[in-house]
Amino acid sequence: MGYTLNFSAVWRNFDDLLAGLLLSLELAFVALLIGCVLGLVTAFGLISRNGWARRPAALYVTVIRNLPILVLILFAYFALPQMGIRLGKIESFVATLAIYSGAYLAEVFRAGLISIPPGLSEAGLAIGLKPRQIRTSIIIPLMIRNVLPSLSSTLISLFKDTSLAAAIAVPELTFEARKINVETFRVVETWIVASGLYVATCSVLAASMRVIERRLTLAR
Amino acid sequence: MSDCLLEISGLRKFFGPVEVLKGVDFSMREGEVVSIIGSSGSGKTTMLRCINMLEEFQGGTIRLDGETIGYEETASGRKRKSETEIARQRALTGMAFQQFNLFPHMSAVENVMLGLVKVKKMGREEAREIALKWLERVGLAERAGHYPGQLSGGQQQRVAIARAIAMNPKLMLFDEVTSALDPELVGEVLQVIKDLAADGMSMLLVTHEMRFAYEVSSRVIFMNQGVIGEQGDPKVMFNAPQSERLAEFLKTSSFV
Amino acid sequence: MSDLLHFLDQIWLARYVILKGLGLTVSISALAIAAGSVLGILVGLSLTYGNILLRSVVRIYTDFVRGTPVLVLVLASFYILSAVGIDLNAFQAGVLALAVFCSSHVGEIVRGALQAIPKGQTEAAKAIGLTFRQTFVSVLWPQALRQMLPTWVNTAAEMVKASTLLSVIGVAELLLRTQEIISRNFMSLQFYFLAGLLYFVINYGIERFGKYVERKTAVPS
């Protein structure tokens, strides 16, 4: 063994790790925001009785959920230019993560949507609301409350997927950690600190989701 | 003393700081059918569960057919018996629960067979034979292959009773076995219990069915705030309650 | 049309490389699932029935693993083990990382499934005189197994997907083989598509198999 821990090299480069973490968070925020919109639209497609809405939604979800995200990332960055679609590293990654997360979030939202009693939409219709108003003022708010616990774990696991941006040299946290690892050879320290940052961030995300959950919980 | 099947003395039970049984003394002979009545929170279900060691208790003793249940006195004080010993003692009593608690992944006959095979170490064929006999006794021979999810509540409860009784217990404990049933299914379960009583089975029942307690029991116990408030022949007790508490309780219970 | 023929020609040329990669992907996934499940069952049992000390230790383990991206686990396992003198090759270090990742998931699944069983089940088993071991074997585990089977199969598909991360540490599984092929023929669009298709087929197959097993083991109601 004979390995003695010495964190000083890691602390010297700690700013790089923090900058990487910040980029990870930015990537996640933008991608997951788009992913949520995509997921919501897809979820309505999934529960639609209209086959023209349902089938493409189901196809999208099935295809994406059965593909490794790394294949999608590499495909988007290296293969799409062959079709004339040229994006920067960050744009390409954000687009991929957004599309990828949309499929997972669609499943989460779908589960929430089908748990809403149909009587509520009917009650909305009865007081003269339009279908779009029913969706925005009755169904979506209730659905969000229903799905918060699973939404939280899905968002956290999607946040962790930002680490894969390292595969196309986006300088986020994992990329920075690997760089420090290679430059300083303080292997153990580097990875302990890097995963510690991820664990801490995930805990903070989970805790804030729980706060939101508590705020939104309706008395029963 | 020797003709006592069950003898409880000074039974005390705490849930955290709350004392739910405050020294219960009770005994019953073989072949007796005793109903325990009382408002919720009076400790009647807890007492029943202590007899089967589903609840730990902190004071007093329970003796069943001469055996001390659950704990033994040692030089260093009161000690819980080993898990194996407690498991063996639990099999001396049979228990039917309010929520049936059938094993959903086993058919009716497999539910009844489980204890025979695992605890009584019977061969599967012999166990099946006994299980089928008991399912027939509760009127469910033709449902033997059905799973709990395919049976009505009343049928499930009858299977649960067969499962307990097939172990040939010295004493049957019934914990509000009709409370979770739709009204129209209560009768079939009570009929099964009545038949068992007629066969001379020793039974201790916690029940809300006053009419049933009146008809089937040789003795009724009224539990009140963790102790036995009053006990005696149901005909005497229900018609002329001694205490105000019991009179009050009987007034508010539906006697249909 | 000639593009397609050219593509097919290139696939034919690379057929052994692709098959080797596919074989390694399947081995990685299978090993990770097997080891991860065994470890995960122990984790789940500790979380459910362990004493407070064991529970806390295992809880810290699962929280840490679940809070760390799989890629970080893979890289950390690869770099750290050799740095502290544990001599594992990239394949072994990668499988270890995936197994650890798998164990924390399976552990949560096992815990969830066991805790979802109503208390009355244990009480009824106790009441007919079953010991805890007998109760666990005959009553609790069969029910937990049914409940967690779909999620478990899902985890298997997750492992196949996660196996791609081993390409980063140089394990020549399907994705790295694909990258090798592309570096020779520059047909990135076609060959990433092919890789995606192969992963899709495997995972879709696992998903269908899961649904089938779920139907087969469902309790009639």
Side-chain angles (χ1 to χ4, degrees):
Chain A
M1 304 287 262
Y3 190 96
T4 39
L5 291 179
N6 176 358
F7 283 91
S8 60
V10 179
W11 297 140
R12 265 200 309 281
N13 293 294
F14 196 61
D15 284 350
D16 289 349
L17 287 179
L18 283 185
L21 178 60
L22 189 64
L23 183 57
S24 296
L25 285 168
E26 287 168 355
L27 295 173
F29 183 77
V30 179
L32 298 185
L33 206 61
I34 304 171
C36 278
V37 175
L38 212 52
L40 200 55
V41 173
T42 310
F44 277 108
L46 288 173
I47 61 162
S48 167
R49 254 164 292 176
N50 181 347
W52 292 107
R54 196 181 59 247
R55 274 187 288 268
L59 183 70
Y60 161 55
V61 171
T62 309
V63 168
I64 295 294
R65 285 176 56 101
N66 285 308
L67 287 177
I69 182 173
L70 186 53
V71 171
L72 293 172
I73 292 167
L74 298 177
F75 183 84
Y77 188 60
F78 293 113
L80 284 187
Q82 210 178 313
M83 293 171 71
I85 303 171
R86 245 169 256 279
L87 295 173
K89 280 187 265 199
I90 289 184
E91 292 79 5
S92 161
F93 178 78
V94 166
T96 310
L97 186 57
I99 290 171
Y100 182 76
S101 58
Y104 286 82
L105 292 166
E107 288 279 275
V108 171
F109 292 142
R110 188 189 68 95
L113 287 176
I114 56 180
S115 69
I116 295 172
L120 294 180
S121 324
E122 286 161 14
L125 287 174
I127 57 170
L129 294 176
K130 298 193 186 76
R132 198 178 58 82
Q133 293 170 317
I134 291 174
R135 271 200 297 277
T136 53
S137 55
I138 300 175
I139 296 183
I140 293 178
L142 282 172
M143 180 273 290
I144 297 284
R145 285 177 172 83
N146 279 342
V147 302
L148 273 172
S150 57
L151 184 62
S152 164
S153 63
T154 306
L155 288 178
I156 286 170
S157 98
L158 290 167
F159 162 70
K160 289 191 293 172
D161 285 335
T162 57
S163 64
L164 292 168
I168 54 173
V170 174
E172 48 63 76
L173 179 52
T174 303
F175 183 84
E176 293 292 349
R178 203 178 180 192
K179 205 176 75 192
I180 296 170
N181 175 22
V182 173
E183 284 168 3
T184 67
F185 296 108
R186 300 318 303 177
V187 180
V188 183
E189 297 84 339
T190 308
W191 293 109
I192 288 178
V193 173
S195 51
L197 285 174
Y198 275 113
V199 171
T201 310
C202 287
S203 315
V204 171
L205 287 178
S208 8
M209 289 300 283
R210 271 197 300 277
V211 170
I212 297 177
E213 210 175 309
R214 255 202 308 279
R215 286 271 170 80
L216 289 183
T217 301
L218 304 171
R220 283 178 199 272
Chain B
M1 197 50 193
S2 62
D3 62 353
C4 258
L5 173 67
L6 176 69
E7 198 179 9
I8 298 177
S9 59
L11 181 64
R12 299 180 66 180
K13 159 83 185 166
F14 294 85
F15 280 118
V18 185
E19 188 172 22
V20 282
L21 295 176
K22 303 172 183 168
V24 175
D25 296 301
F26 167 75
S27 66
M28 69 182 276
R29 290 185 313 279
E30 204 173 318
E32 259 196 294
V33 176
V34 180
S35 295
I36 311 175
I37 60 172
S39 51
S40 57
S42 60
K44 49 194 197 309
T45 287
T46 307
M47 171 180 156
L48 205 69
R49 290 165 59 87
C50 284
I51 299 171
N52 212 351
M53 277 300 281
L54 289 177
E55 300 288 353
E56 312 275 310
F57 51 94
Q58 285 76 32
T61 54
I62 299 176
R63 293 170 70 80
L64 179 74
D65 204 25
E67 277 191 46
T68 310
I69 297 292
Y71 300 89
E72 55 198 353
E73 291 300 332
T74 63
S76 54
R78 189 167 176 267
K79 219 183 99 213
R80 197 174 189 271
K81 292 186 175 182
S82 75
E83 272 314 310
T84 333
E85 178 61 8
I86 288 175
R88 186 190 65 77
Q89 290 191 326
R90 282 195 180 111
L92 300 176
T93 53
M95 179 137 181
F97 299 85
Q98 184 177 348
Q99 299 295 341
F100 334 136
N101 294 342
L102 285 182
F103 306 131
H105 59 302
M106 296 179 186
S107 64
V109 68
E110 286 167 345
N111 261 279
V112 184
M113 285 167 63
L114 184 68
L116 299 172
V117 173
K118 297 282 172 184
V119 179
K120 302 231 154 175
K121 311 289 179 201
M122 273 180 200
R124 288 191 70 83
E125 278 323 299
E126 189 191 355
R128 181 177 298 274
E129 216 167 279
I130 293 175
L132 287 173
K133 187 190 86 184
W134 281 107
L135 284 177
E136 195 176 338
R137 277 294 305 274
V138 300
L140 289 171
E142 77 285 7
R143 292 276 193 273
H146 286 54
Y147 283 82
Q150 300 169 309
L151 299 173
S152 73
Q155 292 172 332
Q156 288 190 53
Q157 191 57 291
R158 283 147 66 196
V159 174
I161 293 172
R163 176 175 71 181
I165 215 101
M167 296 295 288
N168 198 17
K170 293 181 193 299
L171 169 67
M172 265 304 292
L173 307 169
F174 293 89
D175 183 12
E176 300 186 17
V177 287
T178 56
S179 299
L181 293 175
D182 292 336
E184 71 272 19
L185 301 176
V186 169
E188 59 186 76
V189 173
L190 294 185
Q191 190 54 49
V192 165
I193 300 175
K194 273 186 192 165
D195 291 348
L196 291 171
D199 285 357
M201 184 85 216
S202 315
M203 299 198 283
L204 190 54
L205 312 101
V206 169
T207 184
H208 288 303
E209 306 274 339
M210 291 304 146
R211 157 77 54 187
F212 177 70
Y214 185 86
E215 285 172 4
V216 80
S217 352
S218 47
R219 184 151 51 111
V220 169
I221 289 181
F222 171 60
M223 292 274 288
N224 185 32
Q225 300 186 334
V227 290
I228 292 179
E230 207 173 309
Q231 58 175 311
D233 185 285
K235 301 191 176 51
V236 179
M237 265 176 81
F238 284 18
N239 294 324
Q242 297 292 304
S243 63
E244 195 127 325
R245 290 275 190 192
L246 177 57
E248 193 65 25
F249 174 73
L250 289 174
K251 223 183 287 169
T252 54
S253 317
S254 54
F255 195 89
V256 256
Chain C
M1 196 59 208
S2 74
D3 280 357
L4 183 63
L5 282 177
H6 180 56
F7 179 36
L8 291 176
D9 192 38
Q10 288 295 322
I11 293 177
W12 184 248
L13 267 175
R15 63 191 183 280
Y16 291 119
V17 180
I18 294 171
L19 282 176
K20 263 196 235 160
L22 206 54
L24 205 53
T25 288
V26 171
S27 337
I28 292 165
S29 314
L31 281 171
I33 293 156
S37 297
V38 172
L39 198 58
I41 289 169
L42 294 178
V43 166
L45 293 179
S46 313
L47 287 175
T48 320
Y49 303 117
N51 61 25
I52 180 90
L53 180 73
L54 181 62
R55 256 194 348 255
S56 319
V57 171
V58 174
R59 172 53 62 201
I60 291 170
Y61 164 81
T62 54
D63 280 0
F64 198 83
V65 171
R66 285 157 62 88
T68 307
V70 199
L71 180 58
V72 173
L73 289 177
V74 169
L75 291 170
S77 165
F78 179 62
Y79 290 118
I80 287 183
L81 291 178
S82 64
V84 299
I86 300 172
D87 202 19
L88 293 185
N89 60 31
F91 173 83
Q92 292 162 330
V95 168
L96 178 68
L98 293 191
V100 164
F101 170 65
C102 181
S103 76
S104 74
H105 273 259
V106 172
E108 283 299 322
I109 297 170
V110 169
R111 186 193 59 80
L114 284 171
Q115 286 181 347
I117 299 172
K119 237 178 74 210
Q121 292 289 308
T122 310
E123 293 188 345
K126 278 181 178 171
I128 54 173
L130 263 55
T131 60
F132 177 73
R133 255 187 55 148
Q134 290 170 326
T135 304
F136 182 78
V137 171
S138 306
V139 176
L140 302 178
W141 187 246
Q143 292 186 52
L145 209 52
R146 277 192 180 78
Q147 154 125 26
M148 67 197 186
L149 216 50
T151 340
W152 199 342
V153 171
N154 219 0
T155 308
E158 288 302 317
M159 286 302 122
V160 173
K161 285 186 263 178
S163 72
T164 56
L165 303 182
L166 270 59
S167 67
V168 175
I169 55 170
V171 177
E173 43 64 76
L174 181 56
L175 185 55
L176 190 62
R177 291 292 188 189
T178 304
Q179 288 168 304
E180 276 173 30
I181 296 165
I182 291 169
S183 70
R184 280 197 294 271
N185 62 24
F186 303 104
M187 297 171 72
S188 54
L189 190 62
Q190 294 85 334
F191 276 88
Y192 276 127
F193 182 83
L194 179 69
L197 186 68
L198 290 172
Y199 282 113
F200 179 84
V201 169
I202 296 172
N203 284 329
Y204 192 70
I206 292 174
E207 189 187 300
R208 303 307 310 178
F209 177 71
K211 294 250 161 67
Y212 169 80
V213 173
E214 198 182 339
R215 263 202 314 279
K216 276 280 165 189
T217 56
V219 173
S221 62

